[in-house]
Amino acid sequence: MTLLDVRDLHVDYGGIRAVKGVSFQVGMGELVCLIGANGAGKSSTLRGLSGLVAARGMVNYAGRELTGSPAFERVRAGLVLVPEGRGIFPMLSVDENLSVGAYARSDNAIEADRERVFSLFPRLAERRRQAGGTLSGGEQQMLAIGRALMSRPQLLLLDEPSMGLAPIVVQTIFAVIRQVNAEGVAVLLVEQNARAALQLASRAYVMDSGAITLSGDAKTLLGDAKVRAAYLGEA
Ligand code: ATP
């Protein structure tokens, strides 16, 4: 069943047309990746979906038309972005950053979810009273994902979670993404690290200059000669 149905999405920054009419879908519980070169419009697509920038087109999520609805309403509906650069609050502690993720909730499972985040990322538990800004890059990425999980997403939009991290840390982050997805959370993953993303996802879309130029089964794209040459660094 389709969870997110995007049709003809456009994002402009003044005269710059960053996203030029993309259409794609994410199924319930599916892990889909969006790959492409720098400046292809991947981040802008995620920002448009999360309501952080104005977008034109149709965004149907869980049977609801979201185009034009404010960002907080999308979070409340379960559509949650983990932005590029993480966007954690450097002066707040790990615990406080996680609480920010649960700000729209009033149920009594918040503490259980916090413990769940700590079991996914034991390093965060060890540093729970430490200020976010003092964490390493990898720990900040873990915190950004943990904070998003605190809002109980149904669809997680991840913008370059591997950026600037050592391979071993990337493995930890990707293992958690896989686990969260296995528990039923759908994921739309934007990555420069195309190989790792294609290995993790079931389906993929390739973006180039604001448009989707290729799509299909992730394993098939991993073996595609054009993809290998353009995005996997193979001649
Ligand atoms: P990257 O991996 O570098 O983030 P991307 O595929 O995510 O690349 P976007 O960041 O969405 O691409 O950028 C798409 C285009 O929009 C680029 O030409 C970029 O320079 C431009 N752009 C992005 N953000 C802004 C902004 N705030 N103002 C003006 N132009 C922007």
Side-chain angles (χ1 to χ4, degrees):
M1 222 170 76
T2 304
L3 176 60
L4 178 74
D5 188 7
V6 179
R7 302 278 171 91
D8 203 26
L9 189 81
H10 293 256
V11 176
D12 302 329
Y13 303 101
I16 299 168
R17 299 180 62 209
V19 181
K20 304 171 189 166
V22 298
S23 299
F24 59 93
Q25 288 77 38
V26 179
M28 285 285 189
E30 201 183 14
L31 202 165
V32 174
C33 72
L34 189 56
I35 61 171
N38 258 327
K42 307 180 299 297
S43 297
S44 299
T45 300
L46 294 193
R47 284 188 221 124
L49 291 177
S50 58
L52 291 184
V53 296
R56 287 176 290 117
M58 192 203 79
V59 178
N60 189 288
Y61 168 77
R64 269 174 69 182
E65 177 55 48
L66 283 187
T67 320
S69 66
F72 75 89
E73 243 171 63
R74 303 185 196 212
V75 173
R76 208 162 274 177
L79 182 69
V80 183
L81 172 71
V82 179
E84 189 172 353
R86 294 121 203 184
I88 61 154
F89 298 102
M91 304 300 278
L92 299 186
S93 69
V94 166
D95 257 335
E96 288 164 340
N97 268 280
L98 293 178
S99 297
V100 170
Y103 81 97
R105 292 173 58 183
S106 54
D107 59 275
N108 53 22
I110 295 174
E111 289 318 308
D113 284 357
R114 186 193 304 274
E115 291 312 313
R116 171 82 190 117
V117 169
F118 287 146
S119 74
L120 286 169
F121 297 116
R123 294 182 74 91
L124 293 183
E126 292 164 18
R127 289 158 174 71
R128 59 189 296 170
R129 317 238 176 268
Q130 213 169 302
T134 66
L135 301 179
S136 72
E139 290 160 357
Q140 291 192 13
Q141 185 61 58
M142 294 173 196
L143 182 55
I145 294 174
R147 185 179 58 187
L149 292 176
M150 290 300 288
S151 57
R152 292 239 161 151
Q154 192 178 13
L155 173 59
L156 208 46
L157 308 174
L158 295 172
D159 198 352
E160 305 230 10
S162 80
M163 189 162 66
L165 304 183
I168 182 78
V169 183
V170 174
Q171 276 180 27
T172 306
I173 302 279
F174 274 38
V176 169
I177 296 170
R178 190 192 294 278
Q179 191 171 345
V180 166
N181 174 249
E183 289 167 12
V185 178
V187 177
L188 178 59
L189 172 67
V190 158
E191 260 302 333
Q192 284 286 321
N193 188 342
R195 187 186 308 278
L198 289 170
Q199 283 165 349
L200 195 66
S202 59
R203 281 192 312 111
Y205 295 89
V206 179
M207 259 185 108
D208 186 14
S209 307
I212 289 175
T213 52
L214 204 60
S215 66
D217 178 82
K219 300 290 169 290
T220 309
L221 291 183
L222 204 49
D224 182 281
K226 269 188 301 196
V227 172
R228 296 182 82 92
Y231 305 105
L232 304 179
E234 293 179 18

